[in-house]
Amino acid sequence: MQTFRFDPCRLPPEAEALRGEVRAFLSDALTDIPPVIRAQTWSGYDPEFSKKLGAKGWIGMTWPKKYGGHERSALERYVMLEEMLAAGAPVGAHWIGDRQSGQLLLKFGTEEQRQMILPKAAKGELLFCIGMSEPDSGSDLAATRTKAEKTDGGWIVNGTKLWTSNAHNAHYMIALFRTNFDPDNKHAGLTQFLVDLTIPGITIRPIKDLTGNAHFNEVVFEDVFVPDNMMVGSEGNGWMQVTAELAFERSGPERYLSSFLLLTELIRELGRTGDTSADAEIGRLVAHLVTLRQMSVSIAGLLEAGENPIQEASVVKDLGALYEQELPVKAHELAGVEPMLGTGSDYAQVLGFLTQASVSFSLRGGTREILRGIIARGLGLR
């Protein structure tokens, strides 16, 4: 039976040196932003903040310089991102492009696509969304039904993508379409495309979530013409490309730091009251967090070595979502403060936001059922 690899990985000195630089920047940039806003962190959307990060060289950090990148290591990028999320920086605008779309184009895109897209993305001026999930199939990508049919010079696309984060603000979508159907192999016949969201035939409808925010979208394609030169990689290779891309999506510090601000606010709240009865539980929560971090850093090391740790990334994503959904429940029990929205103390508002938002943490980036299927398949159990 195959086993998981979580090799120890030590962050290099240059990464730790970067940590101080990022902290100094954030200390100034986030001074006036209240905790309840910072709690939104990687769903927080601030294009001007993204442009500031682009100017600092903190978007596309690992990309080649000829495409606007900075040729730094994945571990340096990891530290930058860890600091951003821990501080509650609004990184949602450039998040998709920096984390995975840029990497995808570097690996599978054409030279034309790289030259056209990456330099602007590295400046925080060009924003992405990802078109994967669909109605009735959720994040089961093998069930993709949005169809791209060949025509002269390109493809005609019809279908619907759902739960597409920030599609209403993005310039481009990396979309997975079905270009062929084989009933005996649903993983075949899938192809990725780079889609300009301003072309005719695309309708984007925002969807409000439990918190009242509308960063999810339904994206409808009606006879949309996508040129041949916008295909990413080769026809029918979409499944392999997507699974490689998802290792970047499912293993990063966002999988255990989305609720970090609540933990710090909880510790501050308990310290204010002088109540020490929760010390053991706080210790357990911190130990769990540190373990998740070690697993995530290990995957960052594997990605830096050019490997594709999709099973390990799925484990981190699943365990991280469990941890982040447990945290608001424990915070409510330990501090005895009711969660509030729009009023109350900083702690009550952060608790209120994350009590509602954390419900979705096991949906984004692949549902729990999909992740456990990947893990079982990797272990040879299905």
Side-chain angles (χ1 to χ4, degrees):
M1 177 185 292
Q2 181 177 337
T3 58
F4 300 122
R5 283 186 60 192
F6 286 104
D7 301 338
C9 178
R10 185 180 296 276
L11 296 172
E14 59 270 24
E16 293 297 353
L18 176 63
R19 189 184 301 281
E21 184 182 348
V22 176
R23 284 186 180 179
F25 168 80
L26 291 173
S27 176
D28 179 58
L30 304 181
T31 298
D32 297 325
I33 301 179
V36 69
I37 299 299
R38 286 191 282 125
Q40 300 178 28
T41 186
W42 66 286
S43 62
Y45 203 90
D46 186 341
E48 292 307 312
F49 182 81
S50 294
K51 290 176 183 175
K52 290 179 182 176
L53 295 194
K56 296 288 289 185
W58 292 342
I59 301 176
M61 289 178 68
T62 63
W63 304 352
K65 291 182 179 178
K66 67 177 180 177
Y67 302 126
H70 304 278
E71 299 184 0
R72 303 184 78 160
S73 72
L75 298 176
E76 287 176 285
R77 179 185 176 275
Y78 189 96
V79 165
M80 180 278 299
L81 188 55
E82 191 173 45
E83 292 299 322
M84 292 284 163
L85 296 174
V91 296
H94 65 273
W95 183 259
I96 298 297
D98 181 55
R99 181 179 63 179
Q100 59 198 94
S101 299
Q103 296 289 347
L104 180 82
L105 292 177
L106 284 171
K107 193 168 185 178
F108 300 107
T110 64
E111 184 62 20
E112 177 190 7
Q113 291 168 353
R114 295 170 188 157
Q115 293 284 357
M116 178 178 69
I117 297 292
L118 296 181
K120 292 181 181 176
K123 292 179 181 177
E125 297 173 352
L126 191 151
L127 309 175
F128 283 93
C129 64
I130 295 178
M132 291 190 185
S133 298
E134 296 190 2
D136 303 322
S137 60
S139 53
D140 179 8
L141 301 182
T144 293
R145 293 187 299 183
T146 297
K147 188 183 298 182
E149 297 177 287
K150 192 71 184 79
T151 189
D152 289 344
W155 302 77
I156 299 296
V157 179
N158 282 284
T160 301
K161 294 295 179 181
L162 198 61
W163 311 123
T164 308
S165 297
N166 292 317
H168 57 310
N169 292 315
H171 301 100
Y172 282 88
M173 171 189 284
I174 299 286
L176 184 69
F177 298 143
R178 184 162 292 285
T179 50
N180 190 26
F181 180 69
D182 179 351
D184 297 322
N185 184 4
K186 293 195 299 180
H187 295 164
L190 295 169
T191 305
Q192 287 186 297
F193 290 86
L194 180 60
V195 180
D196 179 347
L197 292 174
T198 65
I199 58 180
I202 298 176
T203 302
I204 301 173
R205 301 189 184 100
I207 302 169
K208 284 190 177 181
D209 63 18
L210 283 174
T211 66
N213 294 320
H215 55 88
F216 291 134
N217 293 272
E218 177 188 59
V219 184
V220 180
F221 296 83
E222 296 176 292
D223 294 328
V224 174
F225 177 77
V226 179
D228 281 331
N229 65 352
M230 291 293 102
M231 179 185 290
V232 179
S234 55
E235 182 182 350
N237 202 38
W239 180 261
M240 185 279 289
Q241 295 175 197
V242 163
T243 53
E245 181 183 349
L246 290 177
F248 289 97
E249 180 180 2
R250 292 174 173 164
S251 62
E254 67 271 25
R255 297 308 174 191
Y256 61 89
L257 286 178
S258 298
S259 302
F260 181 74
L261 210 68
L262 177 58
L263 181 59
T264 60
E265 289 296 322
L266 171 62
I267 293 171
R268 185 175 292 115
E269 178 74 11
L270 293 173
R272 186 182 62 79
T273 63
D275 182 1
T276 59
S277 63
D279 285 2
E281 186 60 28
I282 293 294
R284 186 189 70 80
L285 291 170
V286 171
H288 197 160
L289 181 72
V290 170
T291 303
L292 283 168
R293 179 179 185 270
Q294 288 297 100
M295 295 169 72
S296 176
V297 171
S298 173
I299 293 174
L302 293 173
L303 292 172
E304 173 74 2
E307 299 191 35
N308 182 19
I310 185 170
Q311 267 73 242
E312 289 82 355
S314 298
V315 171
V316 170
K317 202 275 183 184
D318 189 23
L319 293 178
L322 285 169
Y323 174 78
E324 297 206 302
Q325 290 176 336
E326 178 196 21
L327 197 50
V329 177
K330 288 294 179 186
H332 188 202
E333 291 176 0
L334 295 175
V337 174
E338 292 299 317
M340 302 289 287
L341 294 174
T343 186
S345 67
D346 286 340
Y347 173 70
Q349 292 192 60
V350 171
L351 178 59
F353 170 74
L354 285 167
T355 296
Q356 289 193 321
S358 62
V359 176
S360 68
F361 291 178
S362 54
L363 299 177
R364 61 189 188 185
T367 64
R368 185 161 291 142
E369 291 77 10
I370 292 295
L371 295 171
R372 293 181 181 181
I374 292 171
I375 295 166
R377 193 159 41 246
L379 293 174
L381 300 176
R382 58 179 295 191

